[in-house]
Every structure is written in structure tokens, then in C-alpha cells.
Amino acid sequence: MTSKRVYTCSNCGAELADEGNIISKSFQGRLGTAFLFEKAINTYQSLIEHRQLTSGIHKVADLRCKACSVLLGWKYLEAKEESQRYKEGRVLLEKIRLQKKGDWF
Ligand SMILES: [Zn+2]
């Protein structure tokens, strides 16, 4: 099994994250269900702000696709609550912005 399962940008096809980097598939984004990843590639940070999320106030940076600039989700920079600290440095990508590539079955 050497095939790589990756998520790509649903808008332009750029690779964004490995399936192996998924932490959770049941997060809530702006556009519905979102996945939490350990890291992502081919993204850049745009707006940085403190945002009230369902789990409290977090400092987040919006993440956009490096190739097509579509808004993909955000990166958690800081969490106020101790229980939310595990999210720091992690990346939330909206499910609707993701497409699967590779040998999934
Ligand atoms: Zn893209």
C-alpha cells in the first residue's frame, strides 16, 4: 500500500492535505461540516482575528488556496480555553472545499 490519499482544492485541484493528517471529521466551519487537520500545504493566511466560535474565543487566521485564492477555512493560532489548546497550530478545512484524490478504495 503505497498509494497516497490526499484532499485537494475543489476549486482548482491543488493538493491541500494528506488523509493521514486528519484529526477530526466533525468540526463546524462557516459552510457546514469541516475537517480538522494537523497541517495543510499550498495555503496562505489572510485575515487574522479573534473569533467567537462554538467552542469559545480563538485567534484564527483565514486560510486561502495558494493556487486559486479560494477561502478554504482557517488555522487556529491561539485558544483561550485550556481545553481547546490542542487546536493551536491546527488547520480547519471546509468539507465543501475538499475533493478526494488518489486510491481511496
Ligand atoms: Zn484552489
Side-chain angles (χ1 to χ4, degrees):
M1 287 290 281
T2 53
S3 61
K4 204 174 126 187
R5 294 173 176 181
V6 296
Y7 287 100
T8 61
C9 172
S10 65
N11 191 48
C12 76
E15 288 192 9
L16 299 175
D18 282 3
E19 191 218 13
N21 288 328
I22 284 194
I23 296 162
S24 170
K25 287 189 174 180
S26 56
F27 266 61
Q28 186 67 30
R30 280 199 192 92
L31 309 170
T33 304
F35 296 171
L36 187 70
F37 292 88
E38 200 129 338
K39 58 184 175 183
I41 57 167
N42 295 321
T43 62
Y44 67 90
Q45 298 182 10
S46 51
L47 178 71
I48 295 176
E49 65 176 8
H50 286 88
R51 196 170 293 163
Q52 179 73 48
L53 303 170
T54 50
S55 51
I57 293 175
H58 298 71
K59 187 178 178 186
V60 300
D62 278 342
L63 278 190
R64 291 177 181 274
C65 176
K66 219 175 212 174
C68 73
S69 290
V70 81
L71 188 61
L72 298 167
W74 62 76
K75 181 174 185 172
Y76 291 94
L77 301 178
E78 285 170 36
K80 217 173 157 146
E81 304 291 329
E82 189 67 44
S83 64
Q84 304 300 317
R85 294 267 159 82
Y86 73 96
K87 294 177 189 166
E88 290 180 353
R90 306 237 155 113
V91 169
L92 176 146
L93 299 178
E94 306 276 357
K95 187 181 181 188
I96 200 170
R97 297 285 194 233
L98 298 174
Q99 220 160 22
K100 290 174 176 176
K101 196 179 111 183
D103 186 16
W104 285 78
F105 298 102

